[in-house]
């Protein structure tokens, strides 16, 4: 489903997750992500009628990634307390540092606990197009839903977001007009027949532009290989920038390149570095513990 952007894609997917796992009873429900997740996750939770205590935003590991062991410990603790974990949001390409949560491990965890796995790949899912990102394809295929924003790393004009859901019937269950109609007269909802697809039944929007046309036209005009090359070029540029920053006496690399994103700070002469660069390969602590959670909003 093409939607306006990553925020609405996240909302659409999480609405389906909520209805599928919780029905109309939201009591004790818990949704998990890291503090590095995009704020649109917190906003979606609010719009979906969940309280601020129902979103558990866990501190990430040293590489700014959601730690599956810490997450499992927290889920166990919540289950023991009689709460109802129902979904996990993994981010592929966090907005701040381009960190990639360990999607394969998180998918395994979600399967073990019977939770919905939503992957917010608004920026980072395009990495799967590149040679370096080949392994990500399999990982993304394990998600129940995936946010992908062609208006980010596919260079499309704004208002070209996308949400993919493993079982599209779950979108229909949440959004179909016939579920929500108020009477049978004015605006009596038209049911899709045979192989017709009524996009109105699959998301929150009724009147809509033909967003798919932008993506289709640029793929037809430039070819998929041009997009692969452009993503690769972004990765090379960020590697190049990291090398230049590291070699520069007045600059500190604050986070290594992750999916084309890096952060750095100016370190004027005489001022010591405040923090060493975080490494993308640093592993989570060996001892699982119930981590501190920060509630959003
Ligand atoms: C990881 C992530 N998710 C969601 C969004 C929201 O996307 P949009 O601005 O298209 O609503 C962003 C935007 O920066 C993002 O980086």
């Amino acid at each position: 489903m093409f939607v306006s952007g990553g925020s609405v894609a996240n909302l659409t997917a999480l609405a389906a997750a909520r209805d599928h796992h919780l029905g109309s009873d939201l009591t004790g429900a818990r949704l998990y992500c890291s503090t590095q997740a995009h704020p649109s996750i917190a906003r979606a939770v609010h719009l979906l009628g969940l309280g601020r205590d129902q979103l558990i935003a866990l501190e990430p590991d040293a590489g700014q990634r959601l730690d599956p062991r810490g997450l499992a410990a927290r889920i166990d603790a919540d289950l023991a307390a009689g709460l109802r974990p129902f979904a996990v949001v993994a981010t592929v390409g966090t907005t701040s540092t381009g960190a990639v949560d360990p999607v394969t491990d998180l998918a395994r965890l979600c399967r073990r606990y019977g939770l919905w796995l939503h992957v917010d790949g608004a920026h980072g899912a395009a990495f799967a197009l590149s040679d370096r990102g080949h392994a990500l394809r399999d990982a993304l295929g394990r998600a129940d839903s995936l946010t992908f924003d062609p208006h980010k790393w596919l260079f499309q004009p704004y208002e070209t977001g996308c949400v993919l859901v493993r079982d599209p019937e779950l979108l229909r269950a949440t959004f179909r007009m016939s579920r929500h109609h108020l009477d049978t007269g004015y605006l009596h909802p038209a049911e899709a027949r045979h192989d017709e697809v009524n996009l109105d039944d699959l998301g929150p929007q009724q009147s809509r532009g033909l967003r798919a046309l932008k993506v289709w036209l640029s793929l037809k005009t430039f070819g998929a290989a041009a997009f692969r090359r452009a993503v690769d070029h972004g990765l090379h540029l960020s590697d190049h920038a990291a090398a230049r920053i590291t070699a520069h006496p007045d600059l500190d690399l604050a986070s290594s390149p992750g999916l084309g994103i890096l952060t750095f700070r100016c370190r004027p002469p005489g001022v010591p570095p405040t923090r060493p660069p975080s490494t993308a390969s640093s592993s989570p602590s060996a001892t699982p513990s119930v981590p501190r959670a920060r509630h959003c909003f």
Side-chain angles (χ1 to χ4, degrees):
M1 267 274 294
F2 283 94
V3 294
S4 58
S7 303
V8 172
N10 286 335
L11 174 65
T12 305
L14 293 178
R18 176 201 60 183
D19 286 359
H20 182 56
H21 279 268
L22 303 173
S24 56
D25 178 11
L26 308 186
T27 321
R30 290 292 183 272
L31 170 79
Y32 305 86
C33 62
S34 93
T35 56
Q36 300 303 299
H38 190 265
S40 59
I41 300 300
R43 191 163 49 192
V45 162
H46 177 57
L47 291 172
L48 293 173
L50 293 155
R52 56 185 299 149
D53 56 332
Q54 295 184 278
L55 174 61
I56 308 299
L58 297 165
E59 292 298 336
D61 68 15
Q64 305 299 318
R65 295 162 305 197
L66 183 56
D67 170 12
R69 281 179 292 182
L71 174 60
R74 178 63 198 230
I75 292 171
D76 284 337
D78 285 349
L79 286 171
L83 299 171
R84 298 163 69 209
F86 76 99
V88 172
V89 175
T91 308
V92 170
T94 60
T95 317
S96 302
T97 64
V100 178
D101 289 341
V103 177
T104 305
D105 291 346
L106 292 170
R108 248 182 245 124
L109 181 150
C110 285
R111 203 170 316 120
R112 176 151 48 97
Y113 287 98
L115 310 182
W116 181 289
L117 177 63
H118 174 64
V119 175
D120 180 356
H123 166 70
F127 178 58
L129 289 171
S130 72
D131 287 341
R132 285 200 238 175
H134 198 270
L136 185 61
R137 291 183 204 176
D138 182 50
L140 295 182
R142 294 165 192 258
D144 293 295
S145 53
L146 169 67
T147 285
F148 171 45
D149 262 358
H151 70 199
K152 292 190 167 64
W153 218 357
L154 275 196
F155 315 98
Q156 299 298 300
Y158 270 161
E159 301 257 346
T160 320
C162 185
V163 57
L164 293 100
V165 177
R166 175 177 301 286
D167 180 357
E169 281 311 311
L170 297 182
L171 285 182
R172 216 182 300 278
T174 292
F175 293 107
R176 72 180 193 283
M177 265 300 201
S178 57
R179 171 178 172 173
H180 301 289
H181 76 265
L182 298 177
D183 66 44
T184 51
Y186 179 63
L187 277 186
H188 180 60
E191 293 286 346
R193 285 172 304 169
H194 312 299
D195 58 350
E196 286 174 354
V197 176
N198 189 354
L199 295 174
D200 185 22
D201 284 337
L202 300 177
Q205 194 174 3
Q206 180 168 287
S207 306
R208 50 190 293 122
L210 180 46
R211 299 185 176 106
L213 184 64
K214 305 179 211 179
V215 181
W216 185 81
L217 271 180
S218 39
L219 282 172
K220 287 289 173 193
T221 304
F222 301 106
F227 289 92
R228 260 183 233 119
R229 280 197 301 275
V231 169
D232 269 330
H233 183 59
L235 296 167
H236 288 309
L237 281 180
S238 61
D239 288 345
H240 177 68
R244 297 289 298 268
I245 290 163
T246 306
H248 197 290
D250 296 345
L251 299 178
D252 268 345
L253 192 62
S255 67
S256 315
L259 305 195
I261 295 172
L262 56 76
T263 58
F264 64 98
R265 63 170 77 80
C266 181
R267 190 188 62 202
V271 177
T274 49
R275 214 164 23 134
S278 63
T279 51
S281 59
S282 51
S283 55
S285 78
T287 327
S289 60
V290 178
R292 274 187 312 118
R294 189 187 299 162
H295 300 302
C296 286
F297 299 99

